């Protein structure tokens, strides 16, 4: 009986010791929270990288595009603003001295030497040969830490939440998503009225054997690469940049396409490389052709429903003549330096 009591006493002592040990070594709840909550909610939120160029003479476009994106989302957007060495100080100063100073952005310098020997000179539309027009070919070299990236031309404004565009699903094996030029019946009348091409025939010269050897029907619907949702892993795996460069060099040698046809010299190689291997963007996320004619307009109701507007073509909303300029000017922020000015009838 005595031994049993001794055992029970020993167990009691051990229990008391264990309780005291836990009391002494217990981590206060406030410290636990601090240890777990290492990042603020904003830091834990996924970043949406948006790539946009800042070209000399049209930086107001870049500012308006960024302003529209930032104002219409609660998402954690990181802007990659790509420019040449000579233009970077201007766009940085513009942002830092305006209401855009709150945005998250990185300025990336593009070296035009990567294009040496890859661009065939064409005097009809020299603006399409500007180095920054080819930034979209080199996304993985410029933006390295992200799996998924949005690329936008500068002559756009966004009316929807950019998160929705970022959430575009890319099919397995697809390096990018674009909008088909035949995807929205509402735009077909516009295309016909101004004589635009929306097939491969408008971009590639089917008189050339190299183009015919591709086996792509000339009536295949084209796409517009002014809005891209890209998968960087697939892009690198498929060596998309190298493929694009190959067709650029072949065009220099054989004149396979040119900006005198339906589109610019940056579109044609993408049509070849991505043929049959891209996913679709919601058509309302790329309403285009607003810059194609100063005499042709969409209905106001249709434009209000659009998520993204694109003034592709010669007639830009910061110049005159142009159409639907009020929708663009809503997002424009004047240049603090006064260098960039809008061109208006009364200016």
């Amino acid at each position: 009986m005595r031994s049993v009591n001794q055992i029970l006493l020993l167990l009691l002592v051990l229990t008391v010791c264990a309780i005291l040990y836990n009391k002494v070594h217990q981590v206060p709840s406030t410290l636990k929270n601090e240890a777990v909550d290492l990042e603020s909610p904003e830091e834990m939120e996924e970043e949406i990288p948006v790539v946009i160029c800042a070209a000399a003479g049209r930086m107001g476009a870049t500012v308006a595009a960024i302003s529209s994106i930032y104002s219409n989302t609660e998402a954690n957007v990181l802007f990659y603003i790509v420019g040449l060495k000579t233009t970077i100080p201007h766009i940085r100063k513009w942002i830092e001295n305006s209401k855009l100073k709150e945005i998250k952005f990185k300025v990336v310098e593009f070296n035009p030497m990567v294009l040496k020997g890859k661009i065939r000179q064409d005097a009809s539309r020299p603006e399409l040969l500007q180095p920054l027009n080819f930034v979209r070919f080199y996304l993985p070299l410029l933006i390295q830490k992200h799996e998924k990236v949005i690329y936008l031309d500068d002559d756009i404004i966004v009316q929807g939440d950019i998160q929705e565009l970022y959430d575009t699903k890319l099919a397995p094996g697809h390096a990018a998503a674009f909008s088909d030029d035949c995807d929205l019946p509402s735009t077909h009348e516009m295309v016909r009225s101004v004589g635009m091409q929306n097939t491969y025939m408008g971009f590639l010269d089917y008189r050339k054997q190299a183009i015919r050897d591709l086996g792509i029907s000339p009536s295949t619907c084209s796409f517009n690469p002014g809005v891209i949702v890209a998968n960087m892993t697939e892009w690198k795996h498929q060596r998309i940049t190298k493929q694009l460069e190959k067709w650029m060099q072949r065009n220099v040698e054989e004149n396979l396409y040119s900006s005198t046809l339906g589109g610019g010299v940056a579109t044609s190689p993408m049509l070849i490389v991505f043929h049959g291997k891209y996913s679709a963007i919601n058509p309302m996320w790329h309403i285009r052709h607003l810059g194609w004619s100063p005499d042709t307009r969409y209905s106001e109701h249709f434009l209000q429903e659009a998520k993204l507007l694109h003034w592709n073509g010669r007639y830009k909303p910061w110049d005159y003549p142009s159409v639907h300029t009020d929708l663009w000017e809503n997002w424009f922020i004047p240049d603090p330096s006064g260098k960039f000015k809008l061109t208006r009838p009364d200016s």
Side-chain angles (χ1 to χ4, degrees), residues 28-45:
S29 59
T30 54
L31 293 180
K32 279 185 180 178
N33 289 339
E34 288 175 9
V36 173
D37 188 21
L38 295 176
E39 295 181 307
S40 69
E42 183 179 349
E43 291 172 329
M44 295 174 67
E45 186 182 1

Side-chain angles (χ1 to χ4, degrees), residues 150-318:
I150 294 173
Y151 167 86
L152 299 174
D153 276 353
D154 60 0
D155 51 355
I156 63 99
I157 61 161
V158 171
Q159 301 184 136
D161 187 338
I162 199 72
Q163 179 77 54
E164 187 180 327
L165 179 62
Y166 184 75
D167 290 340
T168 298
K169 301 296 183 186
L170 273 68
H174 286 180
F178 307 98
S179 287
D180 274 329
D181 284 332
C182 308
D183 60 11
L184 198 60
S186 306
T187 66
H188 292 178
E189 184 179 345
M190 166 77 84
V191 171
R192 287 192 298 269
S193 67
V194 296
M196 283 184 290
Q197 286 283 353
N198 60 0
T199 66
Y200 274 55
M201 175 69 83
F203 296 85
L204 304 177
D205 189 347
Y206 277 84
R207 296 172 299 179
K208 303 296 173 65
Q209 188 62 45
I211 297 301
R212 294 199 299 272
D213 288 347
L214 291 170
I216 302 173
S217 168
S219 62
T220 301
C221 188
S222 54
F223 59 80
N224 186 298
V227 177
I228 307 172
V229 180
N231 180 314
M232 294 292 92
T233 300
E234 280 295 335
W235 193 292
K236 289 181 280 192
H237 175 71
Q238 297 178 32
R239 297 171 63 84
I240 296 294
T241 298
K242 289 295 182 186
Q243 292 188 60
L244 292 167
E245 288 184 324
K246 181 190 83 170
W247 283 103
M248 291 170 75
Q249 289 168 328
R250 288 198 66 175
N251 181 58
V252 170
E253 298 162 4
E254 304 173 52
N255 195 20
L256 302 176
Y257 48 82
S258 77
S259 59
T260 58
L261 297 177
V265 291
T267 300
S268 301
M270 299 196 84
L271 291 177
I272 295 172
V273 171
F274 285 101
H275 174 253
K277 294 182 291 185
Y278 65 90
S279 298
I281 289 174
N282 180 336
M284 297 305 287
W285 268 101
H286 196 177
I287 301 303
R288 46 207 176 276
H289 314 315
L290 277 76
W292 207 263
S293 167
D295 304 312
T296 309
R297 304 174 67 92
Y298 287 112
S299 76
E300 294 301 324
H301 175 73
F302 176 68
L303 293 179
Q304 287 170 8
E305 297 295 317
K307 305 287 189 179
L308 181 149
L309 304 178
H310 188 185
W311 278 263
N312 59 311
R314 296 175 185 267
Y315 303 98
K316 303 302 185 186
W318 56 90

Side-chain angles (χ1 to χ4, degrees), residues 2-179:
R2 176 185 250 175
S3 63
V4 172
N5 288 338
Q6 289 176 333
I7 292 171
L8 290 174
L9 181 61
L10 178 63
L11 288 174
L12 179 62
V13 170
L14 289 173
T15 301
V16 170
C17 288
I19 292 171
L20 289 173
Y21 179 88
N22 285 337
K23 286 285 187 182
V24 171
H25 290 85
Q26 186 177 27
V27 179
S29 59
T30 54
L31 293 180
K32 279 185 180 178
N33 289 339
E34 288 175 9
V36 173
D37 188 21
L38 295 176
E39 295 181 307
S40 69
E42 183 179 349
E43 291 172 329
M44 295 174 67
E45 186 182 1
E46 184 177 15
E47 270 183 344
I48 297 180
V50 175
V51 180
I52 190 164
C53 294
R58 49 192 289 162
M59 282 190 203
T62 308
V63 168
I66 291 173
S67 172
S68 69
I69 295 165
Y70 181 66
S71 300
N72 285 303
T73 188
E74 296 294 328
N76 183 22
V77 180
L78 174 58
F79 293 97
Y80 284 89
I81 303 171
V82 186
L84 302 181
K85 188 175 183 178
T86 54
T87 62
I88 285 174
H90 187 186
I91 191 65
R92 186 187 295 277
K93 183 178 179 182
W94 197 332
I95 290 172
E96 291 177 349
N97 290 278
S98 72
K99 65 180 182 181
L100 291 180
K101 62 187 176 185
E102 302 297 328
I103 70 169
K104 290 172 58 179
F105 75 100
K106 293 182 179 180
V107 175
V108 181
E109 181 181 341
F110 182 68
N111 184 357
M113 290 305 294
V114 300
L115 301 172
K116 189 175 181 179
K118 301 182 182 75
I119 301 177
R120 186 183 184 89
Q121 296 304 310
D122 184 348
S124 63
R125 290 194 66 187
E127 75 274 12
L128 297 176
L129 302 176
Q130 296 301 315
L132 295 180
N133 205 29
F134 300 90
V135 161
R136 70 198 89 195
F137 290 11
Y138 297 94
L139 292 176
L141 301 180
L142 298 167
I143 315 301
Q144 297 175 349
K145 74 169 188 172
H146 301 282
E147 168 74 10
K148 195 176 187 182
V149 171
I150 294 173
Y151 167 86
L152 299 174
D153 276 353
D154 60 0
D155 51 355
I156 63 99
I157 61 161
V158 171
Q159 301 184 136
D161 187 338
I162 199 72
Q163 179 77 54
E164 187 180 327
L165 179 62
Y166 184 75
D167 290 340
T168 298
K169 301 296 183 186
L170 273 68
H174 286 180
F178 307 98
S179 287

